Amino acid sequence: MFFFRSIRFRLTLWYLVTLALILLLFSTFIYLTISKRLYAEVDRELLAIAEAVASPTLEPFRRSAPTVLDQILEDFIGPSVADKFVQIADASGKVFSSSTNLQNISLPLDKTSLIISGIGNSTYHTHSNSLRYPIRSITMPIMENGRMVQVVQVGMLLDYTSDILEKLLVIFAVSIPLALIMLWYAGWFLAGRALKPVELITTSARKISAENLGHRLEIINPSDEIGRLAKTFNLTLDRLENAFNRTRQFSMDVSHELRTPLTILRGETEVGLRWGGDADELKKILRSNMEEINRMSDIIGDLLELSRAEEGKLVLDPVPVELHELLQDICTKAAPDAREKRIILDLPNAASLHVAGDPARLQQIFLNLIDNAIKYTPCDGKVSLAVDSEPGWAKVSVTDTGPGIPEADLPHIFEQFYRVDKARNRNDGGSGLGLSMVRAFSEAHGGRVEIFSLPGSGCTFTVFLPLSHSGTNL
Ligand code: ADP
């Protein structure tokens, strides 16, 4: 069943049907052309003899006895008349003279031919008879003063013509099926060759599974159709592998992030259950548990926001927001942390710039960046904010004097749970989602975020947000 449905079988079949039709058409054309030429040759010969018999010179001899007629015709026309049947009739169609070879067979003279002869025209007929071959004959009128007086009929056996046409038919009947059998094998072989790369692709593709998504199809000729198909397939595999790896990494990261607070929760709860005697001690444990629960719910909340943003389903509530004011608010919130590390938090005055944005999400963007800057900058450092603009865009940059970010980490810095210092634990680092949220929220506002870092001398994060038309008073 599979065999009949295979492309190879169908290709070969189409190829064969097409060629069979072409061969049939071609051989029919040859047969008809040759047969027409042979009949034309016979008719020309018959006409020449009929004209000779009808010539006025032979008038006195046309009523001779058969043997005499044979002799006269041979003398007058030549030996070519020997195998011809000659018959002469009067105007009513009554035969009054014929050659000797017409004793056993007759040349029929039907009414229609007689009528056509009556108006001076000749007709040709092919009659079958008791002999092996049919007879071809001409019926020609002999006219006198525009009136038919006699009718000459000359016939000949179609032995030569029939033999040639029969042989031709035998040749076609044998050679066409033979050619078709050979063409079937040739077509089968060619289709197999053309489809071989597809077979290879199928075999290699079958070997690729979730465990070895890194395998790629071998591309033999990248510029042909199959090569392009394999290239496209490999690109799809690249994307699939990336998505697969990201999902795997993501589940590992999430489990890892949630395992620690859960372990703490379980440990503290066990301690409380076993030893927690007085109410103060239990309250302390519950407070600590609450912290862990908050931490987990923050992570889950952030992840939800991120996946909504990735799907483009983040609901924003945009209002005109003045950036300098917004940053001042955030600086007020971050000031205690900065003070603790004696870090200067600098926000110079700047021209008023408005963007259309969701204030809560914008706060989150800049709070994350400022928090990070304070967190990763050593004591006595400096975190500077700057608000600026370029055509169509508002730019807010956060620059610190911290350790900066190594070049190799820069492409990954916005990935979820990515941390430069892998050894850093959740207590002194964050959840690893901060920068992913910065990017997701900036993009949800139609903006982007860029990073510039010189390891050893701090880094600058710049957020670009589209300026709202109403409020640019530079
Ligand atoms: P985290 O919660 O770990 O801070 P983020 O997504 O905010 O997660 O940041 C990802 C990583 O980028 C951090 O772990 C840190 O290694 C690096 N990073 C972020 N901001 C800075 C900065 N201002 N200076 C140096 N490294 C930074």
Side-chain angles (χ1 to χ4, degrees):
M1 226 22 216
F2 168 76
F3 173 76
F4 293 114
R5 273 189 279 139
S6 70
I7 293 185
R8 187 179 187 183
F9 174 79
R10 277 183 284 160
L11 263 182
T12 315
L13 194 67
W14 277 114
Y15 170 70
L16 202 73
V17 169
T18 315
L19 281 174
L21 281 177
I22 292 174
L23 277 178
L24 273 178
L25 277 176
F26 188 64
S27 43
T28 311
F29 173 74
I30 289 182
Y31 182 88
L32 290 178
T33 312
I34 291 182
S35 138
K36 204 171 152 202
R37 287 203 70 152
L38 288 173
Y39 274 96
E41 195 63 41
V42 168
D43 289 353
R44 211 168 32 242
E45 213 176 317
L46 290 174
L47 179 70
I49 293 175
E51 276 173 347
V53 176
S55 76
T57 330
L58 285 192
E59 159 58 15
F61 309 104
R62 281 204 279 266
R63 287 181 184 273
S64 312
T67 41
V68 180
L69 187 67
D70 287 355
Q71 194 53 54
I72 287 164
L73 289 177
E74 197 169 333
D75 290 349
F76 188 72
I77 298 166
S80 66
V81 82
D83 60 346
K84 307 292 182 301
F85 307 104
V86 178
Q87 180 173 283
I88 305 158
D90 60 19
S92 66
K94 192 162 170 299
V95 177
F96 59 81
S97 181
S98 51
S99 52
T100 38
N101 51 14
L102 273 176
Q103 269 153 14
N104 299 326
I105 47 172
S106 63
L107 291 180
L109 178 57
D110 58 34
K111 264 213 169 108
T112 326
S113 308
L114 207 58
I115 292 168
I116 297 172
S117 298
I119 54 172
N121 291 333
S122 303
T123 47
Y124 292 92
H125 285 103
T126 305
H127 333 270
S128 47
N129 52 67
S130 54
L131 302 173
R132 175 159 139 51
Y133 300 104
I135 289 177
R136 177 84 173 159
S137 71
I138 180 172
T139 304
M140 177 191 266
I142 299 175
M143 309 296 282
E144 255 181 46
N145 304 325
R147 221 165 47 83
M148 180 181 76
V149 287
Q150 288 174 351
V151 179
V152 174
Q153 283 185 286
V154 181
M156 68 185 277
L157 272 180
L158 285 174
D159 46 354
Y160 174 72
T161 312
S162 302
D163 273 352
I164 289 188
L165 292 178
E166 258 172 40
K167 271 186 195 134
L168 206 60
L169 276 184
V170 171
I171 290 173
F172 287 151
V174 172
S175 62
I176 290 180
L178 261 179
L180 288 181
I181 291 173
M182 287 192 301
L183 286 169
W184 170 268
Y185 281 106
W188 185 251
F189 171 75
L190 288 176
R193 261 187 80 114
L195 292 171
K196 183 105 193 139
V198 179
E199 198 66 42
L200 282 177
I201 288 185
T202 314
T203 322
S204 330
R206 205 176 287 142
K207 285 189 197 144
I208 298 171
S209 65
E211 276 63 51
N212 57 2
L213 262 183
H215 279 216
R216 291 294 174 268
L217 300 180
E218 190 192 343
I219 297 173
I220 296 160
N221 186 354
S223 48
D224 68 8
E225 288 86 341
I226 307 284
R228 288 205 298 275
L229 173 74
K231 240 196 300 186
T232 314
F233 191 76
N234 281 348
L235 285 176
T236 312
L237 280 179
D238 285 347
R239 286 198 295 272
L240 200 68
E241 191 186 11
N242 277 342
F244 208 79
N245 288 343
R246 269 208 311 273
T247 314
R248 206 179 343 218
Q249 185 62 42
F250 178 75
S251 345
M252 269 164 49
D253 289 340
V254 173
S255 342
H256 185 75
E257 287 303 319
L258 296 180
R259 199 178 50 189
T260 324
L262 276 172
T263 314
I264 296 173
L265 261 181
R266 193 204 283 140
E268 290 186 341
T269 313
E270 272 172 7
V271 169
L273 284 174
R274 225 175 270 175
W275 315 107
D278 69 66
D280 280 349
E281 236 171 79
L282 283 175
K283 259 191 195 164
K284 206 172 135 206
I285 289 172
L286 282 177
R287 227 173 276 124
S288 163
N289 281 1
M290 198 61 206
E291 258 175 42
E292 297 308 324
I293 290 169
N294 284 341
R295 194 177 190 96
M296 287 192 293
S297 94
D298 282 352
I299 291 178
I300 290 168
D302 287 353
L303 283 174
L304 258 173
E305 288 270 88
L306 277 172
S307 65
R308 272 197 209 113
E310 265 174 20
E311 278 180 59
K313 287 186 182 157
L314 199 69
V315 186
L316 295 179
D317 220 351
V319 290
V321 177
E322 205 289 308
L323 286 175
H324 199 265
E325 260 172 48
L326 179 86
L327 290 172
Q328 255 172 345
D329 274 1
I330 299 170
C331 284
T332 314
K333 280 183 191 149
D337 289 342
R339 220 174 295 126
E340 209 173 288
K341 291 175 79 178
R342 296 181 304 283
I343 287 172
I344 302 168
L345 192 53
D346 182 34
L347 173 62
N349 278 336
S352 157
L353 278 184
H354 284 84
V355 293
D358 185 321
R361 265 42 182 268
L362 290 178
Q363 273 225 8
Q364 245 172 311
I365 295 178
F366 299 117
L367 196 59
N368 276 346
L369 290 178
I370 294 169
D371 268 355
N372 274 353
I374 295 173
K375 192 161 63 185
Y376 297 107
T377 301
C379 296
D380 302 310
K382 185 175 178 186
V383 172
S384 323
L385 308 183
V387 183
D388 203 354
S389 73
E390 61 179 51
W393 297 97
K395 287 194 313 186
V396 178
S397 43
V398 181
T399 307
D400 61 53
T401 54
I405 296 170
E407 210 180 321
D409 293 294
L410 288 178
H412 308 286
I413 206 72
F414 294 103
E415 287 170 13
Q416 296 175 9
F417 300 115
Y418 190 86
R419 292 184 178 100
V420 173
D421 184 356
K422 312 281 185 290
R424 248 179 126 86
N425 66 31
R426 49 186 279 282
N427 291 321
D428 42 26
S431 64
L433 294 173
L435 287 183
S436 318
M437 312 255 300
V438 168
R439 183 171 67 175
F441 291 167
S442 307
E443 286 174 358
H445 279 86
R448 64 183 194 279
V449 53
E450 286 177 2
I451 173 170
F452 174 77
S453 171
L454 277 179
S457 46
C459 54
T460 302
F461 285 89
T462 309
V463 177
F464 291 76
L465 294 168
L467 273 175
S468 74
H469 302 297
S470 55
T472 32
N473 10 342
L474 280 167

